[in-house]
Each structure stands twice: as structure tokens, then as C-alpha cells.
Amino acid sequence: MSLTAKDKSVVKAFWGKISGKADVIGAEALGRMLTAYPQTKTYFSHWADLSPGSAPVKKHGGVIMGAIGNAVGLMDNLVGGLSALSDLHAFKLRVDPGNFKILSHNILVTLAIHFPGDFTPEVHIAVDKFLAALSAALADKYR
Amino acid sequence: MVEWTDFERATIQSIFSKMDYDDVGPAALSRCLVVYPWTQRYFGNFGNLYNATVTAGNPMVAAHGKTVLRGLDRAVKNLDDIKATYAELSVLHSEKLHVDPDNFRLLADCLTIVVAARMGADFTADVQGAFQKFLAVVVSSLGRQYH
């Protein structure tokens, strides 16, 4: 399910609309994931406060969304562009790659809430494909 | 037996009591057919599904979306025994319709996104958790009679 030229242009256009709110979206998506999928909290036992809106959740949501925003510009070579991040996730963080899909779903839910008019089915499929390709690139070094 | 907290029960009932089934059902099904195009395999006699606009305007998709959502209503009214409520529907989807049960999860995800878009900020993380737990039970029950 590779990214077509049309997928890339739809993702870029949509990201142009949402980039101003990227931090908020990242924070909310992470908070939703930790609440609706409590098993994901196991990766953050070092945080004092895991509730949505807490300082570590907001900060880390911003970090994640910033990296995703960078990846929008790297869509022609996600595996190469995300190589260092893949090393980090594979060898240091060791996040089970099944969780990438869970976070992606929560990003989509958050986007639907904040941009109900713009998050049409056509945009939804392009962003879903992009996040799936990004997740695969992030998992590239795992084994 | 599924254990529902008071919050989960109240939340699920509230979401469905406020929902416009005739809007949400068609929107969720047509989104599923667009975002996961392989799901179109089950709707060969529905006519044109070749793009998002055509799918959204397809009257058979709209009618079936409403049917699916009314089916969900039965689970909302029988939260304490969704498994029994859906036993026949599960057999139907397995033996007659031959639907891969993975597809139930895909439709559930699209329904979550449509409901989230309609509810906006009221669809809080806790509300999302309750709604998704309900859909997970529904999906599991629908897949239960497959063999």
C-alpha cells in the first residue's frame, strides 16, 4: 500500500492546514491513547502524571507530532529519513511496533475532532496510509 | 460477562440517544468503503463505489449504513448480554455473508472517527475509552460463531 503522488500531495496540503495546531493535536492524541488503551502506559512508568493535559504528556505529544511533521517533508524516502529514529525505537525504546498503529488511530480521531470539515474520507485515507508508511519506516531496524 | 462501570453504561447510552442514526450510519459505512477499499468486496451489487463522492451519494450504501447502526442499537439495549444478542448475526456474517471478521474492526474504527467528528470536544478521552470498549465487545461477539 505505497504512497501515490496523490496521497503525498493530499497529506502535504492537509498538514499545511493543521501545522499551527500540531502541538495541541499531538498532546491530545497521546492523552487519548494513554486513556483509551491503558496498556500503552507501560512505556511511561517514569512519568509522575499520565493524565491527559499533564505536563509530560503535552511535552511528549509535541515532540512526536513535530517528528511526524518533519516526516511529511521526507515522504519520498521515509526509511532513509527516519533511520536514526528507527534506531532509537528499535534498540533503546523497544516499543512494540503494534503500538504505532494504536497511536496512529488516536491521531486520526484527534484530527477528526479538530478539523471535522477538512478530515474528509479522501484526506483520512491519505493520512492513514502516510502514518502506516511512517510506522513501517520506524520499525525498519527492529530485526 | 462484560463488566460495565456506571460511567461506561451512561456514556454509551448517552452517545446513542443523541446520535442521528440516519446520518452517522451512512457516513461510517461510506468512509469505511473509501478508506479500506478492499471492504468493497462484499458489496458487488451496490453499483458505483469508485470514488468517495459517488460512494457517499450511493443510496444502497446509505440504506445499509442505517441497517448496520440499527443493528448496533440492539447491543446498546442489551449491554449485559451482547454475546447472545448477536449470536444469530454472527452466524449470518460467517455462514451466509462470508465476511472476514477483521472487517468489523475496520468499520468500528470508521464509526469512532465519525462519532468523534460529530461530538467534537464532548468526545473526551474517557468517553472514547467507553465507546471503543463497547465496539470491541460488539466486534468480538460478531466474530464468536465463526469456525
Side-chain angles (χ1 to χ4, degrees), chain B:
Chain B
M1 241 273 297
V2 182
E3 300 278 347
W4 303 101
T5 64
D6 290 342
F7 171 80
E8 285 164 350
R9 245 179 239 279
T11 297
I12 292 159
Q13 273 150 5
S14 164
I15 291 176
F16 279 88
S17 71
K18 293 180 189 152
M19 191 192 289
D20 180 354
Y21 286 31
D22 290 347
D23 162 44
V24 169
L29 182 60
S30 72
R31 189 170 283 253
C32 186
L33 294 167
V34 170
V35 175
Y36 306 108
W38 53 94
T39 58
Q40 292 170 25
R41 75 189 305 284
Y42 302 109
F43 302 102
N45 63 330
F46 270 30
N48 285 321
L49 299 173
Y50 59 81
N51 73 23
T53 311
V54 156
T55 302
N58 183 312
M60 289 181 82
V61 171
H64 196 63
K66 294 176 195 176
T67 301
V68 167
L69 219 56
R70 281 179 211 133
L72 266 181
D73 194 61
R74 292 169 54 195
V76 177
K77 296 188 157 66
N78 288 284
L79 281 178
D80 289 314
D81 203 356
I82 296 180
K83 191 168 70 181
T85 304
Y86 280 160
E88 265 183 51
L89 266 176
S90 180
V91 171
L92 175 79
H93 283 76
S94 165
E95 304 301 295
K96 186 154 178 266
L97 305 176
H98 306 294
V99 176
D100 181 337
D102 264 2
N103 292 278
F104 304 147
R105 202 184 28 86
L106 299 179
L107 180 56
D109 282 350
C110 285
L111 182 60
T112 301
I113 282 171
V114 168
V115 169
R118 299 291 185 274
M119 287 180 64
D122 287 343
F123 197 69
T124 64
D126 288 320
V127 167
Q128 179 183 345
F131 188 66
Q132 292 199 198
K133 177 176 167 177
F134 167 71
L135 289 179
V137 173
V138 164
V139 165
S140 167
S141 303
L142 275 175
R144 222 167 171 280
Q145 302 303 324
Y146 281 60
H147 63 274

Side-chain angles (χ1 to χ4, degrees), chain A residues 32 35 37 105-106 119 124, chain B residues 31 34 52 116 123 126 128 132:
Chain A
R32 284 177 182 281
T35 306
Y37 299 86
H105 169 72
N106 284 283
F119 196 65
H124 178 167
Chain B
R31 189 170 283 253
V34 170
F123 197 69
D126 288 320
Q128 179 183 345
Q132 292 199 198

